[in-house]
Amino acid sequence: MIQYILFLLFAFSLLFNQSKPEITETDYLAKERARVIQLADKYASEKPITVTAESSPRSAGGIHDFYSEGDYWWPDPDNPDGPYIQRDGLTNPDNFTAHREAMIRFSQISGALASAYLVTKHDKYVTALAPHLKAWFIDEATKMNPNLLYAQAITGKVTGRGIGIIDTIQLMEVAKAIESVEESAVIDESEIQQMKDWFSEYLNWITTHPYGIDERDHGNNHSVCWAMQAVVFAELVGNEEVLEYCKEMYKTVLLPDQMAADGSFPLELKRTKPYGYSLFTLDAMATLCQVYADDSENLFSYQTADGKSLENGISFLYPFVENKDSWPYQKDVMYWDKWPVRHTFLLFGGLAYGQEKYLELWNSLDADFDTPEIIRNMPVRFPMLWLSDQEKETIGKLDAKLISDAAAKIIASGVVNYSDFGAKGDGKTDDMQAIIDAHEFANEHDLNVIADDGASYYIGGKARTAIIQTDTDFGTASFLIDDRNVENRTSPVFLVSSSLESYKLDGITSLKRNQEKIDITLPGSTLITVTNSNKMRYIRYGLNQNNGAPQTDIFLVDKNGNVDQDAPIIWDFEQITEITALPIDEKTLTISGGFFTTIANQEESKYNYYSRNISIQRSNVIVDSLEHRVIEEGNQGAPYSGFLNISNCTNVTVRNTILTGHKTYSTIGNAGKPVTMGTYDIIVNRALNVAFVNCTQTNDIDNNVYWGIMGSNYSKNLLFDKCVFSRFDAHMGVANATIRNSTLGHMGINAIGTGTFTVENSTIRGRSLINLRSDYGSTWEGKLIIRNSKFIPNGGNSYSASLINGYNSGQHDFGYTSYMPEQIIIENLKIDDSNHPDDYQGPAIFGNFNSERTDDSYEEKFPYVLTKEVSLKNVTTTSGKDLRISNNEVMFKEVKVEIH
């Protein structure tokens, strides 16, 4: 296994240190770098929340006082209004926890932002951190008082206890963060000093107040945690007296009194959560020792006269972390299944004792976890803050030759396998990090990626994305994407991206519809995306009404600025608020194979879209022979924005691929009334020249339990060829689309847009041949062509058929003029209307687009431009009834119908 981890070292060393001729860091730091940057970017926009944000009526303190309640204290069932009673190891869920949660949040944000600064030296992370530090320690309105007089109170017994001081272990990484960012000079020196003054005052309180003395002398993990945080705060403020005191306390009290000869902690083993408390205590001891790692007397090497040492403690616990099932003592009464995680003692001990197996195990465990009990008992979550430069260098020299040899072997083979980077493929182990690392290495060295034959990769809910920039063959491998507990629902599993950077365009202030040339010179053919955020289009009507979306377009230009007229500019842009160039990769990237299964989320049925998918944001891509299925859909669920999500690109072909229609749910729309809500397994958004060839779906295309398979926005030149799908949908507009040699099911064709929409050699089983979406004005500015096709209204169920359907009252402003197709050409169409109601008069060309328009006096506030000409040739009906123009003869009386 170690060689797999060391492979990772090489890849990330190159990624982050391309200027260095030699490899100086291992995968441990590399993975941590990637992690902290991702977390820091996530936290960068967060606002401070301090103890003043919430308060409890049970607190005896004021608004600036930290307050918490004893975890294991509960109301007495025999005396509900009396003092609480203890139930050791069982946390009372009704406790006030807001201050603890705010402090933990503060710790996480501080650790991530400061670590990202150490990695990148980008001042933006310090700028984002500064408001949090000032809010907690400086600002009079929001700061916390530097004491814990009211921590771990017990109703009816005490207003606070010394035992509550353990809550401020969460401030250790805040202190380390201040140390780490001080050199940046982003935060004024006087403010840094004020922060240190706060910690000096708090350190004085915990070392002199009776509560502090009680906690220091309490025994078990509490005494260890008192010393651990005291040395961290003392190091920040330069209190040598406390540093010396705690060193002697470790040597003469903590280690000899708490550790047994075998390395165990008897005081923790007799608790109701012996496993978790043993891990916690050893983490705390290792962290305390780490503060003195550069000291002349290294506590990692200290041993009592009877042989007790931190090394013994790690040797005792390591086997039970490696294999928890071997734990010989009783299981914890709570959270047994949540341990172990990425424990500090494995990292610090691995470095101190040169034990690669400790580092390897540390690296394999979860670094991010969401169980509050685990979070509060893992105060060291950002190791970059704790390691010296020398320790980082030491990690990098564990086995440089093995690293380079292993990397060379992969490069020589010409392909990267996920197993090269430690993926187990057993269907249980979360292999996502190994998958990410394999693609990182492949991208760096321009190597293809091949999944291990027959492997089953489990992908958990952590917010991690694998970047694909080289050909990838998923082959016969399976991927199980578990969406039941997800950190970030908008984070894709795979992102197919270009190595070419997008860039803003200067000097273009306006554009005209159908403009043929732009005054610009480019390196090559380029996609242009443009937005006027001051002009709203697609102002939606109906149960999901909204105020529209900013006017946007995407089009293709050559290096001389000539606009591709097959995908023209469709709006006048009197003003441009953003315009971006997206370079196009000339080489085609191919993604093939793979059996993907999504375990559906169980969220409430609201419009909280999930994007745990394959996101394609690169031009010239082929997806071939992929399968996606969905399991465990329940009675509710949040929707998905496509398992295949294709955006901001051109020339993408999906072929020989099987997808799945998702279950349809009900929710409350923007108008406050129930609406059906569904999920598309395909989304095409701001993309050109996208084709689906020989693709199908797993479920019955006529089963209306499931939503339509495909939706699109702002896209041009879409193609279905030899596809069997339940739906084609142009949501906020498409320019030019073709359905050929295909069959569409119960949701049929739903479209709005411009250009030419062609249906040929196809079978349509929807309620209409083409439905022009009424929520966007039933607009198609262009022509419809239907040739050599078959229309089976409502999938063969009894129905009064109409070919073109929609609704527009002329009373709603959609942000544009709405048009019916100017010209409709229908040739060789067979209408199978054999199953119809008794009063059926025959199929209509047009549905009743406005039932209120019954005579010529009807006035449209926003005129709806009707079709000028319909051309019919060889249109037949199974019922034998003639084709009619519409039930609304008044509305369509001026339409010219030619029958050839």
Side-chain angles (χ1 to χ4, degrees):
M1 181 65 183
I2 188 65
Q3 63 265 38
Y4 299 141
I5 294 172
L6 292 169
F7 293 165
L8 204 53
L9 177 160
F10 187 88
F12 273 96
S13 297
L14 290 177
L15 181 63
F16 291 107
N17 297 281
Q18 295 181 20
S19 61
K20 295 185 178 181
E22 296 181 358
I23 301 158
T24 59
E25 279 117 10
T26 77
D27 83 310
Y28 312 119
L29 289 185
K31 290 174 70 173
E32 185 62 12
R33 288 180 180 200
R35 169 180 173 260
V36 299
I37 291 171
Q38 184 179 46
L39 286 174
D41 289 340
K42 171 185 172 184
Y43 291 143
S45 60
E46 293 288 326
K47 303 300 182 185
I49 298 174
T50 76
V51 294
T52 61
E54 291 190 53
S55 61
S56 170
R58 296 189 293 273
S59 173
I63 190 173
H64 295 281
D65 290 307
F66 180 94
Y67 177 70
S68 65
E69 295 177 310
D71 292 278
Y72 307 145
W73 292 85
W74 296 67
D76 184 351
D78 296 329
N79 183 17
D81 296 326
Y84 278 17
I85 60 173
Q86 188 176 31
R87 297 168 64 185
D88 188 35
L90 300 177
T91 299
N92 182 351
D94 294 327
N95 280 344
F96 178 80
T97 59
H99 288 177
R100 178 185 288 166
E101 290 164 3
M103 188 175 285
I104 289 172
R105 175 182 181 270
F106 179 35
S107 177
Q108 290 174 312
I109 291 172
S110 299
L113 291 170
S115 296
Y117 170 72
L118 289 177
V119 168
T120 66
K121 296 302 180 185
H122 289 167
D123 286 346
K124 66 178 183 179
Y125 295 116
V126 187
T127 300
L129 172 60
H132 297 272
L133 298 174
K134 294 174 186 178
W136 277 84
F137 303 131
I138 298 176
D139 293 347
E140 292 296 331
T142 58
K143 72 178 183 179
M144 172 185 158
N145 286 334
N147 62 66
L148 250 62
L149 287 168
Y150 309 102
Q152 296 236 6
I154 303 172
T155 299
K157 288 182 174 290
V158 290
T159 59
R161 296 182 293 163
I163 201 172
I165 290 173
I166 202 168
D167 282 340
T168 49
I169 60 175
Q170 304 300 332
L171 292 181
M172 292 194 308
E173 291 202 320
V174 176
K176 300 298 289 184
I178 293 171
E179 284 182 3
S180 300
V181 305
E182 186 174 358
E183 68 175 45
S184 74
V186 171
I187 304 175
D188 188 79
E189 287 183 16
S190 64
E191 292 176 327
I192 291 287
Q193 188 56 52
Q194 290 180 74
M195 297 169 195
K196 290 183 178 181
D197 290 345
W198 190 98
F199 276 100
S200 287
E201 194 171 343
Y202 181 66
L203 179 62
N204 180 65
W205 186 83
I206 67 171
T207 55
T208 60
H209 190 275
Y211 283 0
I213 305 304
D214 288 345
E215 179 74 341
R216 182 195 68 189
D217 299 337
H218 182 277
N220 72 17
N221 61 80
H222 281 271
S223 291
V224 180
C225 287
W226 181 93
M228 173 179 64
Q229 59 182 304
V231 299
V232 171
F233 303 153
E235 185 179 47
L236 172 67
V237 303
N239 191 322
E240 295 295 333
E241 182 180 351
V242 172
L243 285 168
E244 188 62 29
Y245 178 89
C246 291
K247 182 197 297 184
E248 291 304 310
M249 182 181 175
Y250 172 79
K251 292 160 57 178
T252 60
V253 178
L254 300 178
L255 189 61
D257 290 357
Q258 294 205 32
M259 184 179 286
D262 64 354
S264 67
F265 297 108
L267 295 175
E268 310 303 343
L269 290 178
K270 66 183 182 181
R271 301 288 296 275
T272 58
K273 293 189 286 191
Y275 186 68
Y277 275 123
S278 294
L279 294 169
F280 178 44
T281 302
L282 190 57
D283 274 339
M285 278 196 177
T287 302
L288 189 155
C289 291
Q290 181 65 18
V291 174
Y292 298 96
D294 294 331
D295 194 78
S296 57
E297 185 178 8
N298 187 338
L299 292 185
F300 286 109
S301 303
Y302 179 77
Q303 182 174 295
T304 63
D306 55 356
K308 298 174 183 176
S309 68
L310 188 74
E311 188 171 11
N312 288 348
I314 299 176
S315 296
F316 173 80
L317 267 183
Y318 169 78
F320 309 129
V321 178
E322 185 181 41
N323 178 15
K324 185 171 66 175
D325 293 338
S326 66
W327 178 249
Y329 306 96
Q330 74 175 61
K331 293 182 178 181
D332 294 3
V333 295
M334 293 181 73
Y335 309 110
W336 166 256
D337 60 336
K338 302 299 183 181
W339 298 106
V341 291
R342 201 177 69 169
H343 290 283
T344 304
F345 68 79
L346 292 169
L347 173 64
F348 295 160
L351 283 169
Y353 306 121
Q355 288 283 354
E356 291 185 13
K357 67 178 182 179
Y358 295 166
L359 297 172
E360 180 184 10
L361 181 56
W362 176 83
N363 187 66
S364 69
L365 295 168
D366 283 344
D368 297 295
F369 22 83
D370 55 12
T371 304
E373 174 81 0
I374 308 304
I375 292 172
R376 75 184 186 92
N377 288 323
M378 284 295 298
V380 176
R381 295 182 286 268
F382 295 95
M384 293 291 293
L385 302 176
W386 299 84
L387 299 180
S388 67
D389 291 341
Q390 183 178 359
E391 285 170 320
K392 296 169 188 175
E393 184 76 9
T394 299
I395 291 177
K397 292 181 177 177
L398 286 174
D399 199 334
K401 184 178 186 304
L402 179 58
I403 296 164
S404 58
D405 288 350
K409 184 177 179 181
I410 296 175
I411 293 170
S413 73
V415 297
V416 179
N417 298 113
Y418 294 142
S419 58
D420 291 338
F421 288 81
K424 296 185 181 299
D426 59 9
K428 299 185 234 180
T429 304
D430 192 336
D431 284 323
M432 192 59 199
Q433 190 59 55
I435 292 170
I436 291 169
D437 298 335
H439 282 286
E440 289 275 9
F441 189 87
N443 297 341
E444 181 69 26
H445 298 285
D446 195 24
L447 299 173
N448 293 352
V449 175
I450 300 179
D452 299 275
D453 190 35
S456 180
Y457 303 109
Y458 174 80
I459 297 172
K462 291 189 179 299
R464 299 179 293 195
T465 298
I467 309 298
I468 298 178
Q469 293 180 340
T470 62
D471 287 354
T472 298
D473 184 1
F474 295 125
T476 61
S478 299
F479 297 79
L480 184 63
I481 303 170
D482 191 344
D483 282 353
R484 291 172 295 185
N485 186 12
V486 171
E487 283 183 351
N488 183 357
R489 55 185 169 80
T490 64
S491 179
V493 176
F494 291 97
L495 172 60
V496 184
S497 71
S498 173
S499 59
L500 304 174
E501 295 288 338
S502 62
Y503 54 93
K504 301 300 181 186
L505 290 175
D506 296 323
I508 303 174
T509 58
S510 64
L511 292 168
K512 288 292 187 181
R513 181 178 181 180
N514 296 321
Q515 184 171 330
E516 295 183 358
K517 183 172 173 46
I518 298 172
D519 186 14
I520 191 172
T521 301
L522 298 164
S525 293
T526 303
L527 275 175
I528 306 293
T529 66
V530 57
T531 301
N532 178 2
S533 59
N534 297 315
K535 184 73 172 180
M536 305 304 285
R537 306 288 191 180
Y538 303 109
I539 301 170
R540 199 172 188 182
Y541 168 81
L543 295 179
N544 264 328
Q545 58 196 247
N546 60 39
N547 294 322
Q551 178 177 294
T552 187
D553 203 352
I554 183 168
F555 54 92
L556 180 63
V557 297
D558 65 17
K559 64 180 182 179
N560 297 316
N562 296 304
V563 180
D564 183 352
Q565 293 303 298
D566 288 334
I569 300 170
I570 62 172
W571 304 108
D572 286 330
F573 285 84
E574 294 90 0
Q575 182 183 11
I576 292 173
T577 55
E578 183 176 1
I579 184 165
T580 303
L582 307 174
I584 297 173
D585 291 86
E586 294 183 5
K587 181 182 176 183
T588 298
L589 186 153
T590 300
I591 299 169
S592 57
F595 301 90
F596 294 83
T597 301
T598 296
I599 303 177
N601 74 77
Q602 307 295 316
E603 280 198 35
E604 189 176 353
S605 298
K606 292 185 177 180
Y607 288 107
N608 297 322
Y609 281 90
Y610 273 62
S611 300
R612 301 253 299 158
N613 54 21
I614 298 177
S615 177
I616 300 173
Q617 297 183 33
R618 179 200 191 271
S619 295
N620 289 322
V621 173
I622 293 174
V623 177
D624 193 1
S625 303
L626 177 149
E627 292 191 18
H628 177 238
R629 299 172 188 271
V630 182
I631 61 173
E632 297 188 26
E633 288 185 298
N635 295 323
Q636 65 180 30
Y640 286 79
S641 57
F643 182 72
L644 290 180
N645 187 300
I646 302 167
S647 63
N648 296 309
C649 57
T650 185
N651 301 336
V652 175
T653 298
V654 180
R655 64 193 186 200
N656 309 315
T657 288
I658 301 172
L659 296 153
T660 294
H662 293 244
K663 198 171 179 181
T664 300
Y665 296 110
S666 178
T667 190
I668 302 299
N670 292 338
K673 297 180 179 179
V675 295
T676 54
M677 179 188 72
T679 285
Y680 300 104
D681 220 28
I682 303 166
I683 286 287
V684 182
N685 188 44
R686 292 211 298 190
L688 310 181
N689 306 320
V690 179
F692 296 87
V693 181
N694 195 33
C695 296
T696 60
Q697 64 185 71
T698 60
N699 27 27
D700 182 356
I701 64 171
D702 287 331
N703 188 343
N704 62 12
V705 169
Y706 299 98
W707 196 254
I709 200 76
M710 180 267 194
S712 63
N713 295 293
Y714 312 119
S715 296
K716 301 175 183 178
N717 303 333
L718 304 185
L719 170 67
F720 280 6
D721 189 6
K722 303 183 186 69
C723 290
V724 181
F725 280 159
S726 56
R727 181 174 190 165
F728 173 97
D729 192 358
H731 200 252
M732 283 188 282
V734 64
N736 305 324
T738 299
I739 313 289
R740 67 185 181 216
N741 309 313
S742 296
T743 300
L744 295 186
H746 71 100
M747 298 186 82
I749 298 171
N750 295 268
I752 60 165
T754 61
T756 301
F757 199 119
T758 303
V759 180
E760 56 187 5
N761 299 316
S762 294
T763 299
I764 310 301
R765 301 175 61 84
R767 294 193 174 188
S768 55
L769 185 59
I770 295 179
N771 178 55
L772 302 177
R773 291 184 61 125
S774 60
D775 49 353
Y776 291 110
S778 294
T779 184
W780 187 271
E781 190 176 1
K783 70 169 64 173
L784 302 182
I785 301 174
I786 296 97
R787 293 194 185 103
N788 306 318
S789 293
K790 185 175 184 180
F791 174 39
I792 305 175
N794 201 21
N797 296 307
S798 179
Y799 200 66
S800 293
S802 57
L803 305 187
I804 314 299
N805 209 357
Y807 173 80
N808 189 326
S809 67
Q811 306 305 316
H812 179 77
D813 180 8
F814 292 96
Y816 43 75
T817 300
S818 296
Y819 295 83
M820 290 195 70
E822 181 179 16
Q823 184 181 26
I824 300 173
I825 299 172
I826 303 176
E827 297 178 354
N828 301 321
L829 173 67
K830 180 178 180 181
I831 303 171
D832 184 354
D833 57 350
S834 54
N835 193 359
H836 53 74
D838 292 340
D839 60 352
Y840 181 58
Q841 300 177 39
I845 299 173
F846 299 106
N848 190 348
F849 275 67
N850 183 3
S851 58
E852 296 176 14
R853 186 171 174 173
T854 57
D855 56 45
D856 292 337
S857 66
Y858 185 83
E859 292 185 6
E860 295 176 328
K861 186 176 180 181
F862 301 96
Y864 187 33
V865 182
L866 300 184
T867 298
K868 289 188 173 76
E869 177 186 346
V870 178
S871 175
L872 305 175
K873 181 178 181 181
N874 193 25
V875 178
T876 62
T877 64
T878 304
S879 67
K881 295 183 179 292
D882 292 335
L883 192 64
R884 303 175 297 115
I885 189 164
S886 175
N887 285 342
N888 193 330
E889 295 180 357
V890 172
M891 184 171 185
F892 295 103
K893 66 181 180 179
E894 301 296 333
V895 176
K896 180 182 179 182
V897 179
E898 292 187 352
I899 301 175
H900 301 281

